[in-house]
């Protein structure tokens, strides 16, 4: 099968949707299919061979963060050329309601279109400004995939249609076989040592880093060997300035890490903490931590609860409560047996998210979309594109 996949967000900056697209493409290629991915990126960016760069992206506030997207006449022309040259059996777009390449691809498509919705947002200022276009986009989509129950709920209640729920995948072997970083994690005897991990934008409010910081500060004063390993974008001085001077040597900042080093980072901690306060439709980092064999402690968000099998594959704590997080961390640091039980359940849960398993489910949707269109070619004329 010839498959065209469109990512709306720039490959020059790492992100959950970008990682999803790359992992899906590689899983499909591994299953014997021909895949081309179109994404915003500079022409000279180091990219996998299957990725076609669509040019430099521009920042757009989206879902409490900043997405880097591509839109306009130049992007439209590039999308059309890519579709014509690709002669795809199916076009798979991600986040088609974002003002970027995916939306343009739907409007330019001539065959079956499958769309994956990652977020649980119902509206934004950008979307509100383009309601007419969005209705046309939705009408041109042949089949919809939602990565979570929350994302699917948005489709049913706000987008006039349903969606097949297929979760984000995770390359389990990549994480389970990764080597810890040098000197990490070390032993974790009850009552003293241990390493806590956090990955994400520590400056972004919804990622909940202040909750973890407050819990860590209290615990670190009681546990002389407790350490915190942080990875993600941001300034080191800004991060260290958030901690008391006498505890800064217990915090290690890796900065922005590659996918390989992310896996190594997750293998280097005893407990991975996701203190997010909202805006999450799935919880990709949780499946990655589970794949790495790391015990997970997470906010009791609906999306996280679903990934962690209601708390059987990871410890949940009340969202936004640093005292409750501190209690959860204390319990698990002092109880290796409890950590082992959670990770054992996590191994079973994450097996269902392994990319070959997920990719086969996506292929079933492709097949249904192709059958639904029965080889028909859609009219792509729309004056607003030019």
């Amino acid at each position: 099968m010839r498959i065209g996949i469109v990512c709306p967000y720039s490959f020059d900056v790492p992100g959950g949707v970008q990682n999803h697209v790359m992992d899906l493409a590689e899983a499909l290629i591994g299953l014997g299919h021909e895949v081309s991915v179109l994404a915003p990126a500079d022409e000279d960016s180091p990219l996998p061979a299957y990725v076609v760069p669509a040019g430099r992206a521009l920042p757009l506030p989206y879902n409490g963060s900043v997405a880097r997207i591509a839109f306009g006449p130049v992007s439209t022309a590039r999308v059309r050329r890519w579709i014509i040259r690709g002669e795809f059996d199916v076009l798979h777009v991600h986040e088609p309601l974002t003002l970027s390449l995916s939306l343009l691809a739907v409007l330019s498509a001539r065959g079956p279109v499958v769309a994956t919705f990652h977020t649980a947002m119902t509206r934004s200022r950008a979307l509100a400004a383009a309601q007419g276009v969005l209705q046309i986009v939705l009408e041109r989509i042949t089949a919809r995939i939602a990565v979570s129950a929350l994302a699917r709920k948005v489709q049913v209640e706000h987008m006039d249609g349903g969606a097949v729920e297929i979760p984000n995948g995770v390359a389990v072997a990549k994480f389970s076989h990764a080597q810890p970083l040098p000197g990490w994690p070390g032993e974790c005897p009850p009552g003293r040592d241990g390493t806590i991990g956090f990955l994400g934008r520590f400056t972004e409010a919804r990622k909940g880093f202040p909750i973890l910081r407050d819990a860590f500060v209290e615990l670190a004063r009681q546990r002389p060997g407790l350490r915190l390993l942080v990875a993600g974008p941001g300034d080191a001085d800004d991060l260290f300035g958030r901690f008391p001077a006498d505890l800064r040597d217990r915090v290690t900042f890796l900065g922005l890490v590659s996918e390989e080093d992310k896996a190594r980072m997750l293998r280097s901690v005893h407990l991975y903490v996701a203190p997010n306060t909202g805006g999450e439709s799935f919880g990709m980092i949780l499946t990655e931590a589970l794949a790495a064999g790391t015990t997970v402690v997470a906010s009791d968000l609906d999306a996280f609860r679903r990934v962690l099998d209601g708390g059987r594959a990871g410890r949940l704590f009340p969202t936004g409560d640093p005292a409750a997080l501190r209690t959860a961390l204390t319990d698990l640091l002092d109880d290796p047996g409890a950590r082992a039980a959670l990770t054992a359940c996590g191994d079973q849960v994450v097996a269902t998210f392994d990319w070959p398993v997920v990719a086969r489910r996506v292929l079933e949707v492709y097949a249904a979309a192709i059958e639904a269109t029965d080889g028909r070619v859609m009219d792509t004329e729309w004056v607003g594109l030019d």
Side-chain angles (χ1 to χ4, degrees), residues 276-338:
N276 308 51
T277 59
E280 305 296 334
S281 62
F282 181 66
M284 190 69 210
I285 187 60
L286 302 189
T287 60
E288 293 171 339
L290 293 178
T294 301
T295 305
V296 172
V297 182
S299 303
D300 192 16
L301 301 176
D302 183 72
F304 289 178
R305 193 182 313 116
R306 290 174 182 271
V307 171
L308 297 176
D309 195 18
R312 285 178 285 276
R315 177 74 175 264
L316 297 166
F317 71 94
T319 303
D321 188 340
L325 172 57
R326 185 172 67 249
T327 297
L329 294 173
T330 299
D331 291 347
L332 291 172
L333 288 169
D334 289 344
D335 191 345

Side-chain angles (χ1 to χ4, degrees), residues 67-383:
R68 301 191 65 82
I69 55 90
F71 197 78
V74 173
S75 296
T76 299
R78 288 175 172 171
V79 168
R80 284 176 166 173
R81 284 197 299 270
W82 175 76
I83 289 175
I84 291 170
R85 293 170 182 170
E87 298 182 337
F88 303 117
D89 296 308
V90 64
L91 186 65
H92 186 176
V93 300
H94 291 257
E95 297 289 48
L97 302 187
T98 299
L99 297 182
S100 191
L101 299 180
S102 293
L103 183 150
L104 297 174
V106 175
L107 296 173
S108 299
R110 296 176 58 80
V113 177
V114 173
T116 291
F117 295 83
H118 294 259
T119 68
M121 283 186 65
T122 58
R123 67 186 62 203
S124 72
R125 284 181 295 179
L127 295 183
Q131 281 300 315
V133 177
L134 300 186
Q135 188 57 42
I136 296 173
V137 170
L138 291 171
E139 290 173 355
R140 287 178 174 270
I141 293 171
T142 314
R144 305 184 195 183
I145 295 172
V147 302
S148 69
L150 290 177
R152 184 180 182 279
K153 183 179 180 181
V154 170
Q155 297 302 304
V156 173
E157 296 182 357
H158 300 279
M159 303 297 179
D160 300 323
V164 178
E165 185 180 340
I166 302 178
N168 285 289
V170 60
V172 173
K174 179 176 71 175
F175 289 89
S176 63
H177 296 159
Q179 294 298 311
L181 297 168
W184 303 80
E187 296 299 322
C188 183
R192 292 185 61 82
D193 298 324
T195 301
I196 296 168
F198 172 89
L199 192 149
R201 299 179 183 88
F202 63 84
T203 58
E204 190 174 329
R206 71 184 181 95
K207 299 301 183 183
F209 185 75
I211 299 162
L212 172 57
R213 176 203 57 206
D214 291 349
F216 175 80
V217 168
E218 290 294 323
L219 277 180
R221 299 203 185 283
Q222 304 165 17
R223 298 170 179 261
L226 187 66
R227 295 185 291 175
L228 177 63
L229 184 60
V230 178
D235 179 74
D237 290 339
D238 184 5
L239 174 68
F240 292 125
R242 297 165 185 254
F243 292 88
D246 62 316
L247 295 179
R248 291 172 188 168
D249 63 347
R250 309 262 216 97
V251 180
T252 298
F253 182 49
L254 300 177
L256 197 60
V257 294
S258 65
E259 285 299 296
E260 179 182 355
D261 285 339
K262 176 171 71 173
R264 297 186 70 189
M265 178 265 185
L266 291 172
R267 290 278 291 167
S268 299
V269 299
H270 299 103
L271 301 174
Y272 179 79
V273 178
N276 308 51
T277 59
E280 305 296 334
S281 62
F282 181 66
M284 190 69 210
I285 187 60
L286 302 189
T287 60
E288 293 171 339
L290 293 178
T294 301
T295 305
V296 172
V297 182
S299 303
D300 192 16
L301 301 176
D302 183 72
F304 289 178
R305 193 182 313 116
R306 290 174 182 271
V307 171
L308 297 176
D309 195 18
R312 285 178 285 276
R315 177 74 175 264
L316 297 166
F317 71 94
T319 303
D321 188 340
L325 172 57
R326 185 172 67 249
T327 297
L329 294 173
T330 299
D331 291 347
L332 291 172
L333 288 169
D334 289 344
D335 191 345
R339 296 201 306 272
L342 289 172
T343 54
C345 184
D347 290 342
Q348 298 175 9
V349 167
V350 81
T352 65
F353 295 107
D354 203 7
W355 263 118
V357 175
V358 173
R360 288 186 176 91
R361 295 184 61 190
V362 173
L363 284 168
E364 292 175 359
V365 178
Y366 291 170
I370 292 170
E371 183 178 358
T373 56
D374 194 27
R376 294 191 302 274
V377 175
M378 292 185 290
D379 177 15
T380 60
E381 292 299 324
W382 183 55
V383 68

Side-chain angles (χ1 to χ4, degrees), residues 16-31:
V17 175
Q18 296 93 314
N19 293 338
H20 176 110
V21 167
M22 287 192 290
D23 286 342
L24 173 60
E26 290 168 9
L28 292 170
I29 291 169
L31 292 173

